[in-house]
Amino acid sequence: MEPIRLQKFFTDCDILSRRAAEEEIKSGKVLVNGVRAELGQKIDPETDIVEYKGKVIEPPKKTIYKYVMLNKPRGYLSTVTDDRGRACVTELVKDAGARLYPVGRLDMDSEGLLLLTNDGALTYKLTHPKHDIPKIYHVKIEGKVSADQLRALASPMVIDGYKILPVKTETVTAKNEYTVLRMTLFEGRNRQIRKMCETQGLNIIRLCRVAIGELELGNLAPGKWRYLTKSQVEYLKKGKGK
């Protein structure tokens, strides 16, 4: 492990604040490997023995981060728990080896690719308004979508008083009974696609997130999950969208 300053070690262990640790080090109450510690000293938490007031301080256990891709089925909330007893996505990843949290949300009636992790820093990055990895959806619409409606969906519009970024909208399938649109978002306002379609009088039959940037749902079955590969995690951390 890379050496860290002794006062940081105390804050990592939730024992003392940095300033309090500095005072205790100055007063001679801290030993490292049996020798009185010095202010500014660096230690390796895995090999050095730190004593404070005669007691050995155990280093905090290293958190093992887990990164999971889930094919969220309809009927599940993208939350950890629900006070009304409704099904939550965390129930589907109980065997992932850690307590995981959804990265963003898919509403209860939507389905598809949902990321879950215990890496708070990555969650913050991916849910920040300025992130640059797009989310891609297949939206099944009842009946036909006119050229004017398609043009309107791809143009800037105001939703709930907020001017959303333009959404790239393409036709994947066009039949008399239904139309499938591919919509690419760089932001995710609450129920954004549903509200966009409502402005055009379009009725959504099915809403499925099929990709997050280069991460594609593929043939992962509804309700099933898998770990992300190392390269996929690095891609998300770098934040370079297509």
Side-chain angles (χ1 to χ4, degrees):
M1 178 180 289
E2 185 176 344
I4 61 172
R5 290 191 181 276
L6 187 54
Q7 52 264 45
K8 184 179 186 303
F9 174 76
F10 277 97
T11 61
D12 289 347
C13 295
D14 290 326
I15 294 175
L16 296 169
S17 68
R18 187 186 66 175
R19 184 166 295 180
E22 290 174 351
E23 293 302 318
E24 296 295 77
I25 293 169
K26 288 179 183 178
S27 67
K29 296 178 182 178
V30 180
L31 301 179
V32 177
N33 300 326
V35 180
R36 180 174 173 172
E38 297 179 0
L39 189 61
Q41 181 176 348
K42 290 187 176 183
I43 66 162
D44 183 337
E46 293 184 348
T47 58
D48 292 322
I49 298 174
V50 179
E51 295 176 69
Y52 173 55
K53 293 184 177 180
K55 293 184 179 180
V56 175
I57 307 303
E58 296 292 337
K61 293 182 179 179
K62 185 177 180 181
T63 301
I64 299 176
Y65 292 122
K66 304 281 187 178
Y67 307 90
V68 159
M69 172 193 293
L70 169 72
N71 186 347
K72 174 196 170 303
R74 292 188 191 185
Y76 280 80
L77 293 173
S78 298
T79 57
V80 176
T81 58
D82 179 61
D83 56 8
R84 292 165 58 185
R86 292 173 295 180
C88 300
V89 292
T90 48
E91 299 171 19
L92 301 172
V93 295
K94 284 183 177 179
D95 53 345
R99 183 177 175 83
L100 303 181
Y101 302 86
V103 180
R105 296 191 176 191
L106 281 173
D107 65 58
M108 193 171 185
D109 295 324
S110 299
E111 57 193 288
L113 200 163
L114 181 68
L115 301 178
L116 296 98
T117 183
N118 56 346
D119 186 340
L122 181 60
T123 297
Y124 176 79
K125 177 181 177 66
L126 294 177
T127 54
H128 193 277
K130 292 185 179 180
H131 76 89
D132 59 357
I133 297 180
K135 297 181 179 68
I136 302 163
Y137 300 80
H138 279 184
V139 187
K140 189 175 184 180
I141 305 290
E142 183 179 358
K144 292 183 177 181
V145 177
S146 70
D148 287 342
Q149 289 172 319
L150 194 65
R151 191 178 304 111
L153 291 174
S155 302
M157 66 171 62
V158 176
I159 300 291
D160 295 334
Y162 175 85
K163 188 175 181 180
I164 62 173
L165 296 174
V167 174
K168 184 178 180 181
T169 306
E170 307 163 279
T171 301
V172 177
T173 305
K175 295 187 177 182
N176 290 329
E177 299 82 9
Y178 66 85
T179 303
V180 177
L181 303 178
R182 177 183 173 92
M183 302 181 72
T184 303
L185 281 67
F186 278 91
E187 60 182 346
R189 311 295 297 183
N190 181 39
R191 297 176 67 85
Q192 178 175 332
I193 291 178
R194 294 186 185 278
K195 292 176 180 178
M196 289 173 64
C197 290
E198 284 175 7
T199 68
Q200 301 305 307
L202 299 173
N203 180 41
I204 294 178
I205 300 172
R206 183 186 182 196
L207 177 57
C208 180
R209 184 192 288 162
V210 296
I212 297 178
E214 295 177 358
L215 276 64
E216 297 182 350
L217 191 60
N219 58 2
L220 190 64
K224 299 299 181 180
W225 63 270
R226 68 168 179 80
Y227 292 114
L228 298 186
T229 65
K230 183 178 180 179
S231 62
Q232 288 175 330
V233 174
E234 288 303 313
Y235 164 76
L236 293 174
K237 289 183 176 180
K238 289 178 181 178
K240 300 298 182 182
K242 288 185 179 178

